[in-house]
């Protein structure tokens, strides 16, 4: 699957779903840095995609990058309060954001 995703990424580098899917696969494999890089690319390609932003926040959080994760969760929270929907309540995001902010 990874080989096919990389081929797709080379064939269509501006297609954000491929970068997002690569990030999820890297994350499952425990390759956090690669997962974060791929999800950042997906967000850069499609900044309005709230689910990509949420997944980036989670990856940053899991990677121990509390400050970056907090900024990403803040962007997600803004999107949710503006009417976005990703199946997560604003309160859940707000709770995690408050926790991360307490760390620094």
């Amino acid at each position: 699957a990874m080989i096919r995703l990389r081929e797709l990424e080379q064939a269509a580098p501006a297609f954000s779903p491929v970068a997002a899917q690569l990030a999820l696969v890297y994350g499952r494999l425990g390759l956090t840095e690669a997962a974060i890089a791929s999800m950042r690319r997906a967000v850069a390609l499609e900044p309005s995609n709230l689910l990509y932003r949420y997944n980036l926040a989670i990856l940053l959080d899991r990677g121990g990058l509390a400050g970056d994760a907090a900024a990403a969760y803040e962007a997600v929270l803004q999107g949710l309060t503006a009417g976005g929907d990703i199946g997560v309540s604003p309160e859940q995001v707000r709770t995690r954001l408050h926790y991360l902010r307490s760390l620094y």
Side-chain angles (χ1 to χ4, degrees):
M2 184 66 75
I3 293 169
R4 182 67 181 132
L5 283 170
R6 287 182 184 154
E7 289 171 354
L8 288 170
E9 184 179 41
Q10 287 183 0
F15 189 54
S16 64
V18 173
Q21 190 61 43
L22 267 171
L24 296 177
V25 172
Y26 283 135
R28 286 186 198 122
L29 294 173
L31 302 171
T32 305
E33 289 181 28
I36 290 169
S38 288
M39 194 58 73
R40 284 188 195 272
R41 192 168 48 259
V43 169
L45 291 168
E46 195 174 337
S48 64
N49 189 312
L50 200 54
L51 185 58
Y52 292 172
R53 289 186 175 277
Y54 181 64
N55 286 330
L56 177 59
I58 291 170
L59 289 167
L60 292 165
D61 200 350
R62 288 182 182 163
L65 302 168
D68 290 343
Y73 280 122
E74 180 65 40
V76 171
L77 187 58
Q78 289 174 1
L80 290 174
T81 56
D85 182 23
I86 55 171
V88 175
S89 74
E91 190 54 38
Q92 289 173 296
V93 175
R94 193 174 290 113
T95 298
R96 189 62 185 169
L97 182 57
H98 286 296
Y99 170 76
L100 289 172
R101 286 183 177 159
S102 74
L103 299 177
Y104 58 95

